[in-house]
Amino acid sequence: MIPLEEARATVLAACGRVHPRAVPLADALGRVTSVPLFADEEVPPFANTAMDGYAVRAADTSGAPVTLRVVGLLPAGVDPSGMHVGEDEAVQIMTGAPMPPGADAVVMVERTGPGSVPGTVEVQVAVPAGNHVRPAGEDLRPGQEVFPAFTVLQAGHLGVLASLGMRRVPVFPGLRVGVLSTGDELVDGPGPLPLGKIRDANRSTLLALVAQAGCEPVDLGLVADEEDAVRAALVEAVASCDVVLTSGGVSMGELDFVKKVLDELAGGGGRPVTSMQVAIRPAKPLSFGVVDDTPVFGLPGNPVSSMVSFELFARPALRQMMGHPAIHRPTARAVADERLGRSPDGKLHLVRVVAALDDDGRYHVRSSGGQASNLLRAMALANALALLPDGEGVDAGSEVQVMLLT
Ligand code: AMP
Ligand code: MG
């Protein structure tokens, strides 16, 4: 058995970043920038008012209260070039409208009253120059770095880029990730189950995990436990996908052909071919290889194992390929609210738990149910994995390291 970190390092070393590409802004959510992005214009593009009120010359308000002549009305979106605010004059102005020539301050409408004569306004307070004025370029100036390379683009980032008029953004693109289930016992969908058959759970799970990781899931269906069928399915899969995930067929059984075929297809040329026994429970077996530049993950068949293996190996690899600066799930110290027992076996145990932030500001965890690797429901109910190093586990009230899954 090899330690988790060593197995993961082998996998990650073979999963390089993909070539960057400019994608439309609408497709860039969750993508990672491949280069620093620079502004080529000012935001805001012109000095404008932060308030509804009156654009004035600050000097004219020094003797407030004062009455000013209203010489125009300026809604947002209107060019003020034809206007001018002269001595003892004001322009009624709406939030976002450009400052009219001559004016250097805004008096908010709440600090004014109707003037004694129609067409005038009473300014009740003296304001300094620049009052409620948002200067041009206050947020961004031409040449300024907007975001560095390796920024994960979220909603706010897209808004900033849109405010600069960017239509496309250079990012590491998403990956097409094929998902294949292997096993003679597997049946797709509903209908009566003949004795000995089970329904395919892993494909639904893995396709969803792939989507959640920001990749395009590609359903490659079921393949039987026949060497030729497995080989044909893998050859086709690597031709049409950037990464391929299979489940089943990587342990010690006589019909575990994924391991055999992957060794054959990915082997040779000093490439890191690996059928590994990782010192973890669940998810001990992992086959991994690169076939024609396409990483292939032979995940174990047991449903919990395939999910855990995805979390530990495939997800970090996918994120690394897509340029993410942080590829691993976050971990935290938590309090075990009940005993989380285990027995010594040389492995790191990943125990399915429900973690909740308590009033004390710390995570508290409890088992989410049965811990055997076929019991998918407890995995589905879990939002974290407690990491129990080799030994006897932890008692109630003890600290435990957890990997957060959400
Ligand atoms: P294997 O690694 O192929 O020996 O499979 C280990 C266990 O996982 C067996 O009990 C399989 O029936 C089960 N299994 C394999 N693939 C799937 C799947 N796609 N959905 C549900 N169970 C599976
Ligand atoms: Mg099988």
Side-chain angles (χ1 to χ4, degrees), residues 132-273:
H132 295 318
V133 177
R134 308 192 282 210
E138 184 181 26
D139 201 2
L140 291 167
R141 293 175 177 285
Q144 184 181 338
E145 183 180 280
V146 185
F147 304 122
F150 305 107
T151 298
V152 183
L153 295 172
Q154 306 291 4
H157 298 95
L158 299 187
V160 170
L161 300 181
S163 75
L164 285 163
M166 285 193 196
R167 285 170 179 277
R168 302 177 81 83
V169 51
V171 297
F172 298 101
L175 303 165
R176 276 172 61 83
V177 181
V179 177
L180 189 70
S181 288
T182 73
D184 286 337
E185 73 278 34
L186 299 179
V187 170
D188 214 358
L193 274 181
L195 183 62
K197 302 289 185 188
I198 59 168
R199 300 187 211 282
D200 178 4
N202 294 353
R203 208 151 29 105
S204 299
T205 305
L206 292 170
L207 287 167
L209 288 170
V210 163
Q212 282 181 337
C215 300
E216 180 191 344
V218 181
D219 187 347
L220 300 177
L222 291 171
V223 60
D225 287 322
E226 290 158 22
E227 187 171 338
D228 289 343
V230 170
R231 184 181 297 107
L234 280 183
V235 166
E236 203 182 312
V238 297
S240 63
C241 297
D242 300 311
V243 176
V244 175
L245 310 178
T246 70
S247 67
V250 295
S251 43
M252 299 302 181
E254 222 160 87
L255 298 178
D256 286 338
F257 289 121
V258 172
K259 179 173 156 179
K260 180 160 188 276
V261 170
L262 196 51
D263 272 357
E264 170 203 312
L265 292 177
R271 282 187 293 183
V273 181

Side-chain angles (χ1 to χ4, degrees), residues 2-339:
I2 59 174
L4 171 61
E5 283 319 317
E6 191 183 324
R8 190 148 58 186
T10 303
V11 168
L12 291 175
C15 295
R17 277 200 290 271
V18 294
H19 291 295
R21 169 169 13 120
V23 303
L25 213 50
D27 298 335
L29 181 63
R31 299 279 165 254
V32 180
T33 56
S34 58
V35 292
L37 303 178
F38 294 93
D40 57 7
E41 55 187 46
E42 290 184 312
V43 178
F46 48 82
N48 67 97
T49 173
M51 290 287 170
D52 293 324
Y54 290 84
V56 300
R57 295 156 25 123
D60 293 345
T61 68
S62 60
V66 293
T67 297
L68 305 178
R69 241 179 5 267
V70 179
V71 296
L73 172 69
L74 195 48
V78 172
D79 180 350
S81 306
M83 294 182 171
H84 189 262
V85 177
E87 193 176 348
D88 293 333
E89 290 179 344
V91 162
Q92 193 178 355
I93 193 167
M94 316 298 167
T95 303
M99 288 298 287
D104 62 3
V106 169
V107 182
M108 66 197 288
V109 70
E110 292 87 340
R111 300 282 177 272
T112 66
S116 40
V117 197
T120 65
V121 61
E122 187 196 46
V123 171
Q124 295 159 344
V125 292
V127 296
N131 195 58
H132 295 318
V133 177
R134 308 192 282 210
E138 184 181 26
D139 201 2
L140 291 167
R141 293 175 177 285
Q144 184 181 338
E145 183 180 280
V146 185
F147 304 122
F150 305 107
T151 298
V152 183
L153 295 172
Q154 306 291 4
H157 298 95
L158 299 187
V160 170
L161 300 181
S163 75
L164 285 163
M166 285 193 196
R167 285 170 179 277
R168 302 177 81 83
V169 51
V171 297
F172 298 101
L175 303 165
R176 276 172 61 83
V177 181
V179 177
L180 189 70
S181 288
T182 73
D184 286 337
E185 73 278 34
L186 299 179
V187 170
D188 214 358
L193 274 181
L195 183 62
K197 302 289 185 188
I198 59 168
R199 300 187 211 282
D200 178 4
N202 294 353
R203 208 151 29 105
S204 299
T205 305
L206 292 170
L207 287 167
L209 288 170
V210 163
Q212 282 181 337
C215 300
E216 180 191 344
V218 181
D219 187 347
L220 300 177
L222 291 171
V223 60
D225 287 322
E226 290 158 22
E227 187 171 338
D228 289 343
V230 170
R231 184 181 297 107
L234 280 183
V235 166
E236 203 182 312
V238 297
S240 63
C241 297
D242 300 311
V243 176
V244 175
L245 310 178
T246 70
S247 67
V250 295
S251 43
M252 299 302 181
E254 222 160 87
L255 298 178
D256 286 338
F257 289 121
V258 172
K259 179 173 156 179
K260 180 160 188 276
V261 170
L262 196 51
D263 272 357
E264 170 203 312
L265 292 177
R271 282 187 293 183
V273 181
T274 25
S275 279
M276 295 176 268
Q277 300 294 311
V278 189
I280 54 175
R281 180 181 172 153
K284 181 171 71 150
L286 173 69
S287 288
F288 172 80
V290 178
V291 182
D292 296 340
D293 292 334
T294 302
V296 180
F297 291 80
L299 306 176
N302 272 304
V304 177
S305 306
S306 70
M307 275 189 89
V308 169
S309 195
F310 178 91
E311 288 291 344
L312 296 179
F313 299 105
R315 185 176 180 277
L318 296 175
R319 287 171 70 82
Q320 176 167 287
M321 293 174 77
M322 295 187 295
H324 277 270
I327 60 175
H328 297 300
R329 293 283 197 188
T331 60
R333 301 297 298 173
V335 180
D337 276 352
E338 62 187 12
R339 174 165 169 72

